[in-house]
Amino acid sequence: MADQLIRATAADGGIRAVGVITTRLTEEARQRHNLSYVATAALGRTMAAGLLMASSMKRAGSRVNVRVKGDGPLGGILVDAGLDGTVRGYVGNPSIELPPNAKGKLDVGGAVGKGYLYVVRDIGYGYPYSSTVEIVSGEIGDDVAHYLVNSEQTPSAVVLGVFVGSTGVTAAGGLLIQVLPKASRDEALVATLESRVASLAGFTPSLQAGKSLPEILGELLGDMGLRIFPETQILRFNCGCSFDRVLGALKILGEAELQDMIVKDDGAEATCDFCGNVYQASSSHLAQLIVDLQAESSVTR
Ligand code: ZN
């Protein structure tokens, strides 16, 4: 099954539901960054959460940045997800492994630790909207729900799941259920959502069993007037980095530093944090940047 996102409503449009399957893109991130089991789960959950959060944005080109900055051994998570279904991300220490937690599951909370969750919503113009909440459990799903409820005042439930076996990611995905603003004063509906949170735990076993998103949503919300939108959006791991951007970043270092790189290293090597791609700039590339800088400064003089 391809990675995908589907949208649905329930309770006469008072509830919005979004589901994502992110198995392949999580496996791609695992391979790109050489992630351990627990790091795969942590990054995979955060990427699914980012895609779920981006799905509510309206303007084409909108993106969400999710930064989890905890004091645990994982050393932080950064994810960039777009309304267009693209996502990328990385963790501070990709190789750390921890013993399973008390429930026998990957100890994402222990790897993340205590600290803060930062979210930036960028609609492509003006100042991005940013907000911060304290990390609740470090398990990501709880933390994102806490953020949506407290910072965006939207009653929300989030479940995320990543299953990693010896051959890689076998299943990954997530589910976001929200009471829409127009219905958020409807206390009965908010109470219904809260009462459903326990049953949403059925999401991850269904995900692991390979059920489709419509099947899973039907199991969880089928008795609440579920309406699934016919469009399925394709999701993928994608990074906007390029050799030209790397050259642009090198140029900012200035003439003296570029000259130094030519003399000492005969070029420069840059690795993209988000996707792990390695870019090699030769001495002649760097020399050209110096020529460009000199031309620009003579124009502005
Ligand atoms: Zn990249």
Side-chain angles (χ1 to χ4, degrees), residues 239 241 272 274-275:
C239 187
C241 67
C272 176
F274 274 109
C275 70

Side-chain angles (χ1 to χ4, degrees), residues 196-281:
R196 282 296 162 119
V197 170
S199 66
L200 295 183
F203 173 74
T204 50
S206 297
L207 180 74
Q208 190 177 21
K211 290 184 183 170
S212 71
L213 287 171
E215 282 176 301
I216 296 172
L217 282 172
E219 286 171 5
L220 298 176
L221 297 170
D223 59 344
M224 289 185 70
L226 178 71
R227 281 186 47 234
I228 297 175
F229 293 23
E231 302 83 16
T232 300
Q233 185 180 15
I234 299 298
L235 303 174
R236 64 197 170 94
F237 188 100
N238 181 63
C239 187
C241 67
S242 66
F243 187 57
D244 281 350
R245 287 197 182 192
V246 169
L247 289 181
L250 286 169
K251 196 170 159 186
I252 293 168
L253 297 175
E255 197 176 328
E257 188 134 345
L258 290 169
Q259 196 62 55
D260 205 44
M261 288 173 165
I262 292 173
V263 174
K264 286 192 184 149
D265 307 320
D266 190 28
E269 185 180 281
T271 303
C272 176
D273 285 337
F274 274 109
C275 70
N277 281 354
V278 179
Y279 295 95
Q280 309 273 359

Side-chain angles (χ1 to χ4, degrees), residues 25-261:
L25 66 88
T26 305
E27 172 62 12
E28 180 167 347
R30 186 189 74 83
Q31 291 184 14
R32 282 181 172 277
H33 297 302
N34 262 321
L35 299 172
S36 67
Y37 285 80
V38 73
T40 303
L43 182 59
R45 288 184 197 174
T46 313
M47 290 196 298
L51 287 163
L52 290 169
M53 291 166 87
S55 74
S56 66
M57 298 176 82
K58 301 283 183 284
R59 195 181 146 96
S62 294
R63 302 196 74 80
V64 175
N65 276 283
V66 184
R67 183 188 290 271
V68 183
K69 216 166 172 214
D71 60 3
L74 188 62
I77 309 167
L78 183 59
V79 161
D80 170 43
L83 175 61
D84 64 358
T86 61
V87 65
R88 57 182 186 159
Y90 63 95
V91 302
N93 296 314
S95 60
I96 65 121
E97 206 64 271
L98 292 179
N101 64 18
K103 292 177 186 167
K105 297 194 170 161
L106 291 170
D107 190 6
V108 173
V112 167
K114 305 238 175 299
Y116 293 90
L117 170 75
Y118 303 85
V119 176
V120 179
R121 287 191 185 269
D122 187 349
I123 58 170
Y125 70 92
Y127 285 107
Y129 171 81
S130 67
S131 193
T132 306
V133 293
E134 233 171 293
I135 290 170
V136 182
S137 69
E139 296 286 337
I140 311 298
D142 302 342
D143 303 300
V144 169
H146 177 68
Y147 167 81
L148 291 168
V149 171
N150 289 284
S151 281
E152 300 192 358
Q153 284 82 44
T154 311
S156 306
V158 179
V159 264
L160 305 168
V162 174
F163 296 92
V164 200
S166 56
T167 56
V169 178
T170 54
L175 187 61
L176 167 67
I177 297 183
Q178 298 186 298
V179 176
L180 288 177
K182 63 177 178 181
S184 63
R185 285 168 198 273
D186 183 339
E187 287 176 13
L189 198 54
V190 174
T192 304
L193 177 72
E194 282 166 1
S195 73
R196 282 296 162 119
V197 170
S199 66
L200 295 183
F203 173 74
T204 50
S206 297
L207 180 74
Q208 190 177 21
K211 290 184 183 170
S212 71
L213 287 171
E215 282 176 301
I216 296 172
L217 282 172
E219 286 171 5
L220 298 176
L221 297 170
D223 59 344
M224 289 185 70
L226 178 71
R227 281 186 47 234
I228 297 175
F229 293 23
E231 302 83 16
T232 300
Q233 185 180 15
I234 299 298
L235 303 174
R236 64 197 170 94
F237 188 100
N238 181 63
C239 187
C241 67
S242 66
F243 187 57
D244 281 350
R245 287 197 182 192
V246 169
L247 289 181
L250 286 169
K251 196 170 159 186
I252 293 168
L253 297 175
E255 197 176 328
E257 188 134 345
L258 290 169
Q259 196 62 55
D260 205 44
M261 288 173 165

